[in-house]
Amino acid sequence: MTSIWKALREAGRNKSFLVGLAIMASLIAAALLADWISPYTYDEMVIVEALRPPSGQHWLGTDHLGRDSFSRLIHGSRIALKVGAIAVTIQTVVGVLLGLLAGYYGGWQDRVIIFLTDVIWALPPIVLAIAICTLLGPSLTNVIIAIAAVSWAQFTRIVRSKTQALKNMPYVEAARAMGESDLSIILRYILPNVIPVIIVLATLALPVAVVNTTALGFLGLGAQPPLPDWGVILSESMTYIRRAPWISIFPGLAIIYVVLGFNLLGEGLRDALDPRLKV
Amino acid sequence: MNDLTAYAIRRIFQSVFIVLAVTILLFAIMHMMPGDPIQLIDSPRLDEATTAKLRARWGLDKPPVVQYLYWLLNVLKGDLGRSITNGQSVSVLLAARLPATLHITLTALLLQYLVAVPLGLMAGYHQGSVFDRLAVSVTSVLRAIPYFWLGILLIIVFAVSFRLLPVSGYRGFQSLILPVLTLTLPALADTLRLTRSEVLEVLREKHVTTAVAKGLRPQMVLLRHVLRNALVPVTVMFFLSVPWLIGGSVIVETIFAWPGTGRLLWKAISAQDYPVVQGIILLITLLTVISTTIGDILTGLLDPRIRAELGGRVA
Amino acid sequence: MDQTRRALCVQHLDIQFSTPHGMARAVQEVSFDIHAGEIYALVGESGCGKTSAAHAVMGLINRINAPGHRIGGRVLFEDKDLLSLTEEEMCHVRGRSLGMIFQNPLDALNPLYRAGYQVYEAIVLDKIGKIEAWRRVAELFNQVKLSDPEARMRSYPQELSGGMRQRVMIGMMLARNPRLLIADEPTTALDVTIQAQVLELILALRAALEMSVWLITHDFGIVAEIADRVAVMYAGVLVEEADVLGIFDNPRHPYTRMLMASLPRGFKRDGRLRTIAGLLPDPTLEIPGCRFRDRCPAKIEVCATQAPALVEITPGHRVACHVAATVKGDLPP
């Protein structure tokens, strides 16, 4: 674990990593302090104020129901980060467990798990997520399930190949010869060496999860109005694209902010922790 | 039988199994859906006895495995069932919508490859130049833009502000431009960056020095030894990116009211028209698996090392 | 050996690379001649600049593999200064009259093309018909003693053994009868038995094709076997040059003597292999005086302030050492 701290210190000297870190910090702050930052609540409707362009009173204008766009955007970051974080946690745990299992034991376990990843990859992720949300019905919980279900396979594949390589290292073979149990070998020798990769993969998976959440919201399969999910805001704004294009602009910029921030963070971490990792 | 044929056959077999697994998955999902087709008719004139008779006639009283086999047999015959909303044959619906989807996805794919590869080669060869730095920063932004928002942005800029292009619909070449751009730009950015980094990597390999040392001109070295080698991973990723593009097309068709399978999928989901959803997902699976299979076989064709490694012996 | 005919004349070659810690001087003011028809060995430990010198002569150092490099001096070859040629003009020299083979023959061949094609590609640069060119490939594969040349032509590099690959490389570089072959550690990556065969091949081809060979190696064993004249390089400078007998019978520079002592055949009475203590100096630092000073057992006061020039102490024997240039006869061990 000390090597991870050393790598993190090295990453701290990397400019893009620091920019990514700052973006992540600002997002978390926005999500936590949404109620204090935003001048209005996300669902306060003032119909006479509908479709106002950005002004001193409404920094980013108002939507078709006269709700303050800035407040909705800030509250939206809470949904994006919460859904993203939970989905990424689930897919990481599932993906890593299956990857360790397949890589360490090989044999039929490996073949079954690899076949499962192949089947998952036979469908475009967003299409599979759409199918799952259709089956389970639209809700944020189901969005989390759908996103985790389409994204674990990448973790499994990469952790598996790392595990296969580590399994044959002399010190692991020595431990096995000494009669150490499989569980203990996995926990003490293999997992610690896979953790850097997992950190990088999880960081880079978060923006993907956020984009998919908003995409499902946009299609009406995720968060439901009046929740200020960025995708929901975008799909509502489509109707007013001629009269009030600004409503469509800002949620997109927010998504880009998240994606750029976490990509910079993830790439900085990758360069510090595992430069040869291709993701 | 040479290595490549052996590998291709094995790979195709594998793909068939994957598609079969997806059909089981799809059937299981549809089976879990509340209600069966008979219940969906939901007519007061149907009494218990008639329902039972109908069930027997359509095989719905059989165990799920038998039902699955019936269903699979029908699918193989091209019968994907009927739409709940309008009673049309799903296969006919799909056949009518597929050309529009292929129209934008194939155009987008073609643009992605033909534009990104030369630009990526140039950026990599002239690393650090103004062009390279421009390419890197533009692609960084493009890669961060979500599909659906890029579409909205293009509508605002080209259709609403400048009124240059139609906002939506399927009317000739002009209506093709925005959906194709929306689909292709993010993928193009990815391919450009990959080409660039692969070119940079190959340029540092020793065999490139050999090619120069034996007297080849720079253009020849660049095309025959740098681009040729860089194209192997680029082509693999290109075919692996097809699923993303198909997924993107669902959203793009929805935004631009493009009358393809993606928009049909979205409509079917809204109307809970499960047979249509099932049919489209099956079709998308098939397209995805075909493209990744072609990609894998092509990799073997492009790289003798992979060919030898994967060929192995076939019993 | 005809002293007047020179195959290659390197004058004040100076190479600097850009590194994160500043400019590193890999080669400093190196001058030497290679005579027509001889095998000239440049010896030194890895990192001493010998490969950089060869790459500079071939024009293989460019903005892609070494951004921000600087090359000074002159390299005369066939009445032209290679360093002043354009890339276009260099293309006519490389491969045609100047060939080069590399240390690791696996990395040096493109894994995506068949061995035969990679040689063919060089041959068709001269205006030769396809059929004629393929016939020439087969002839070359025979000439470099590849067994079953037809099959080897159709093989991919990764299907060939190290020795076979190096033969393909030699065939490729000899395809257009160069006047000078630069061989950069041609046998280092090969098994000992294969090493001998490849060296024999180079010797035989040198005689058959009447070319000169510039051999770059760290191995005095190879030098003793095939070289006519030898130069020893240390940290970017030439420290000694003599014919092969002169070097082995009467090595003058302390570094040369220590290299000799570290040869397996130079076992001391206590039966232990000698090693040279210390490391190469940092190439980014401008060091006053002799660059070998820190590792030198014979250093005197002047070594710290004044860099020794390469002076001729007996005909054909040059040394860059304050001590060796003044002391006649035996040197202190």
Side-chain angles (χ1 to χ4, degrees):
Chain A
M1 291 309 258
T2 49
S3 66
I4 291 181
W5 291 120
K6 215 158 65 190
L8 283 179
R9 263 209 306 281
E10 192 184 306
R13 282 194 288 271
N14 179 332
K15 216 192 294 170
S16 60
F17 172 80
L18 290 176
V19 174
L21 203 64
I23 293 180
M24 184 180 78
S26 68
L27 279 165
I28 292 176
L32 290 179
L33 307 174
D35 295 329
W36 286 277
I37 296 174
S38 43
Y40 303 87
T41 61
Y42 66 83
D43 52 359
E44 185 183 331
M45 292 183 272
V46 185
I47 296 295
V48 287
E49 295 269 310
L51 300 177
R52 290 283 159 88
S55 67
Q57 201 185 356
H58 296 287
W59 296 349
L60 303 182
T62 57
D63 68 3
H64 61 292
L65 297 174
R67 294 174 296 195
D68 181 55
S69 293
F70 178 69
S71 306
R72 286 178 67 72
L73 213 58
I74 294 292
H75 276 99
S77 70
R78 193 177 269 186
I79 299 176
L81 284 195
K82 192 174 75 185
V83 173
I86 299 174
V88 168
T89 309
I90 296 174
Q91 77 201 38
T92 306
V93 171
V94 173
V96 170
L97 279 179
L98 289 177
L100 287 172
L101 197 69
Y104 189 79
Y105 290 102
W108 66 266
Q109 289 100 323
D110 186 39
R111 255 172 284 153
V112 169
I113 290 169
I114 284 307
F115 186 71
L116 272 180
T117 63
D118 278 335
V119 171
I120 289 288
W121 279 347
L123 272 165
I126 189 70
V127 173
L128 188 54
I130 289 173
I132 294 172
C133 282
T134 313
L135 174 70
L136 301 178
S139 81
L140 275 179
T141 316
N142 294 340
V143 167
I144 292 173
I145 295 172
I147 290 172
V150 300
S151 314
W152 58 270
Q154 191 197 16
F155 286 79
T156 300
R157 282 293 180 101
I158 292 176
V159 168
R160 168 182 173 262
S161 68
K162 284 265 165 193
T163 308
Q164 283 173 336
L166 287 166
K167 188 173 74 169
N168 296 318
M169 294 301 248
Y171 60 90
V172 177
E173 282 180 354
R176 202 176 301 131
M178 306 262 294
E180 220 171 305
S181 72
D182 287 345
L183 183 68
S184 155
I185 290 175
I186 291 176
L187 289 181
R188 285 183 52 199
Y189 301 106
I190 297 190
L191 195 58
N193 286 302
V194 195
I195 281 176
V197 184
I198 300 174
I199 294 175
V200 176
L201 284 179
T203 314
L204 291 172
L206 193 103
V208 179
V210 170
V211 169
N212 284 339
T213 310
T214 46
L216 290 169
F218 180 77
L219 290 173
L221 291 169
Q224 295 299 309
L227 280 183
D229 177 85
W230 294 336
V232 172
I233 300 179
L234 274 176
S235 95
E236 287 175 342
S237 75
M238 284 287 285
T239 322
Y240 308 97
I241 199 163
R242 285 168 195 281
R243 285 171 59 199
W246 58 87
I247 315 176
S248 309
I249 300 282
F250 297 111
L253 291 180
I255 298 170
I256 292 178
Y257 187 67
V258 173
V259 175
L260 266 183
F262 278 90
N263 278 352
L264 288 174
L265 196 71
E267 279 159 20
L269 281 171
R270 179 192 58 200
D271 293 344
L273 293 171
D274 195 350
R276 277 168 305 158
L277 184 70
K278 282 193 177 176
V279 277
Chain B
M1 185 161 29
N2 66 30
D3 283 346
L4 186 61
T5 327
Y7 170 58
I9 290 173
R10 245 189 10 200
R11 187 66 187 76
I12 290 168
F13 260 107
Q14 195 193 343
S15 302
V16 171
F17 272 108
I18 289 170
V19 173
L20 271 179
V22 175
T23 61
I24 294 175
L25 199 72
L26 269 180
F27 181 81
I29 290 175
M30 291 304 142
H31 206 77
M32 283 189 281
M33 284 291 175
D36 61 39
I38 307 300
Q39 274 178 354
L40 284 168
I41 297 172
D42 194 28
S43 162
R45 279 183 299 169
L46 285 178
D47 53 47
E48 280 293 308
T50 337
T51 328
K53 214 184 278 171
L54 275 173
R55 275 177 199 281
R57 181 158 150 222
W58 293 105
L60 293 174
D61 54 345
K62 303 265 184 348
V65 181
V66 179
Q67 283 190 45
Y68 166 73
L69 290 176
Y70 273 129
W71 175 76
L72 188 65
L73 215 64
N74 281 334
V75 169
L76 288 177
K77 280 189 279 187
D79 178 5
L80 291 166
R82 286 183 179 279
S83 158
I84 292 174
T85 41
N86 57 16
Q88 272 186 288
S89 150
V90 174
S91 339
V92 172
L93 270 174
L94 286 185
R97 297 299 195 103
L98 191 59
T101 297
L102 291 180
H103 202 152
I104 52 167
T105 44
L106 290 181
T107 316
L109 277 171
L110 214 64
L111 272 178
Q112 179 194 340
Y113 202 74
L114 294 184
V115 175
V117 169
L119 292 184
L121 179 67
M122 250 166 68
Y125 188 60
H126 298 288
Q127 188 193 14
S129 67
V130 178
F131 172 75
D132 178 43
R133 269 177 279 170
L134 193 73
V136 168
S137 38
V138 170
T139 50
S140 300
V141 175
L142 274 180
R143 276 160 23 133
I145 297 182
Y147 270 122
F148 47 103
W149 188 68
L150 181 62
I152 294 172
L153 192 69
L154 289 175
I155 289 179
I156 291 176
V157 173
F158 288 101
V160 176
S161 300
F162 297 116
R163 297 174 189 280
L164 289 175
L165 297 164
V167 175
S168 60
Y170 186 37
R171 278 169 265 115
F173 175 73
Q174 289 204 320
S175 59
L176 195 66
I177 296 176
L178 291 186
V180 166
L181 276 183
T182 308
L183 263 184
T184 206
L185 283 178
L188 197 148
D190 274 336
T191 309
L192 195 155
R193 287 294 281 272
L194 182 70
T195 310
R196 176 182 177 274
S197 65
E198 288 300 328
V199 163
L200 283 176
E201 206 164 290
V202 178
L203 273 173
R204 295 201 176 86
E205 279 170 18
K206 294 214 179 82
H207 67 79
V208 174
T209 310
T210 307
V212 176
K214 69 183 166 188
L216 294 185
R217 281 159 205 292
Q219 316 86 281
M220 270 199 246
V221 175
L222 203 58
L223 291 180
R224 266 193 222 156
H225 292 274
V226 178
L227 182 62
R228 175 66 177 74
N229 290 42
L231 274 185
V232 176
V234 170
T235 308
V236 179
M237 280 315 289
F238 175 72
F239 280 93
L240 285 181
S241 78
V242 171
W244 290 91
L245 202 79
I246 295 175
S249 76
V250 174
I251 294 166
V252 169
E253 287 181 12
T254 310
I255 296 175
F256 290 97
W258 189 259
T261 45
R263 189 171 151 77
L264 183 64
L265 176 65
W266 183 67
K267 277 183 171 170
I269 287 170
S270 320
Q272 304 205 306
D273 193 344
Y274 298 122
V276 176
V277 175
Q278 191 185 33
I280 293 174
I281 289 180
L282 202 59
L283 180 73
I284 289 176
T285 307
L286 211 60
L287 290 177
T288 308
V289 172
I290 288 174
S291 78
T292 44
T293 310
I294 292 177
D296 280 357
I297 294 174
L298 210 60
T299 318
L301 204 65
L302 286 174
D303 193 335
R305 285 168 300 180
I306 297 177
R307 205 182 309 158
E309 187 185 318
L310 299 174
R313 290 290 134 228
V314 160
Chain C
M1 211 65 59
D2 183 356
Q3 292 283 335
T4 53
R5 274 181 55 219
R6 292 179 308 191
L8 184 79
C9 176
V10 175
Q11 296 174 343
H12 309 290
L13 182 65
D14 204 285
I15 306 173
Q16 296 185 50
F17 292 115
S18 165
T19 73
H21 314 289
M23 293 303 282
R25 221 166 154 197
V27 174
Q28 293 193 20
E29 295 281 322
V30 163
S31 303
F32 61 89
D33 294 344
I34 297 178
H35 301 150
E38 77 173 343
I39 295 185
Y40 184 87
L42 186 60
V43 189
E45 52 197 305
S46 48
C48 73
K50 52 195 199 303
T51 298
S52 299
H55 280 240
V57 168
M58 282 292 286
L60 296 175
I61 300 176
N62 51 42
R63 59 163 187 85
I64 290 164
N65 55 34
H69 68 275
R70 266 182 242 145
I71 300 178
R74 298 205 302 165
V75 175
L76 300 176
F77 178 72
E78 294 181 334
D79 307 321
K80 280 171 292 197
D81 176 12
L82 296 183
L83 298 183
S84 67
L85 294 186
T86 63
E87 181 62 27
E88 179 70 23
E89 291 166 323
M90 252 337 258
C91 285
H92 291 288
V93 177
R94 278 191 295 246
R96 177 178 294 164
S97 37
L98 201 54
M100 179 163 183
I101 56 180
F102 301 93
Q103 174 165 358
N104 190 337
L106 175 57
D107 297 351
L109 291 168
N110 190 331
L112 302 190
Y113 292 102
R114 295 174 197 278
Y117 176 78
Q118 299 193 45
V119 177
Y120 167 85
E121 202 180 27
I123 296 171
V124 287
L125 288 172
D126 296 326
K127 308 259 174 297
I128 284 181
K130 274 189 180 177
I131 298 167
E132 182 60 27
W134 281 113
R135 196 177 301 139
R136 176 95 178 100
V137 176
E139 189 186 302
L140 279 163
F141 273 49
N142 249 321
Q143 205 173 0
V144 296
K145 303 207 162 48
L146 277 160
S147 58
D148 197 0
E150 292 290 324
R152 297 290 89 86
M153 278 163 66
R154 282 193 305 272
S155 302
Y156 287 98
Q158 53 277 13
E159 295 164 0
L160 301 173
S161 70
M164 288 199 260
R165 283 181 214 133
Q166 197 57 292
R167 285 169 197 273
V168 172
M169 274 299 288
I170 294 172
M172 176 193 295
M173 289 307 171
L174 297 184
R176 298 197 287 162
N177 296 322
R179 304 311 310 142
L180 174 68
L181 177 71
I182 304 176
D184 184 5
E185 303 268 8
T187 58
T188 307
L190 305 177
D191 289 343
V192 184
T193 47
I194 310 293
Q195 273 189 18
Q197 292 173 11
V198 169
L199 290 178
E200 237 165 73
L201 179 68
I202 292 177
L203 267 177
L205 291 170
R206 187 264 303 247
L209 304 173
E210 297 176 339
M211 61 177 182
S212 317
V213 177
W214 174 8
L215 176 76
I216 292 163
T217 181
H218 65 277
D219 185 347
F220 263 113
I222 293 173
V223 172
E225 242 167 285
I226 70 169
D228 298 314
R229 286 199 306 138
V230 187
V232 178
M233 202 169 173
Y234 180 79
V237 268
L238 223 54
V239 295
E240 184 161 10
E241 185 197 53
D243 58 37
V244 70
L245 288 176
I247 282 282
F248 281 97
D249 288 352
N250 190 17
R252 303 299 291 180
H253 197 281
Y255 178 61
T256 315
R257 297 159 68 86
M258 289 168 87
L259 278 180
M260 297 282 178
S262 70
L263 276 179
R265 73 187 66 171
F267 275 122
K268 300 303 290 179
R269 258 176 293 274
D270 58 4
R272 290 190 21 204
L273 211 53
R274 285 270 183 103
T275 54
I276 303 178
L279 295 167
L280 284 165
D282 184 343
T284 57
L285 300 177
E286 200 64 49
I287 297 170
C290 177
R291 297 179 73 80
F292 187 57
R293 191 179 67 239
D294 286 349
R295 295 166 84 177
C296 184
K299 58 176 173 275
I300 52 176
E301 218 164 284
V302 65
C303 301
T305 53
Q306 213 177 329
L310 198 61
V311 290
E312 193 159 34
I313 47 163
T314 53
H317 196 149
R318 299 192 293 161
V319 180
C321 175
H322 294 300
V323 181
T326 46
V327 178
K328 302 272 184 244
D330 271 355
L331 287 161

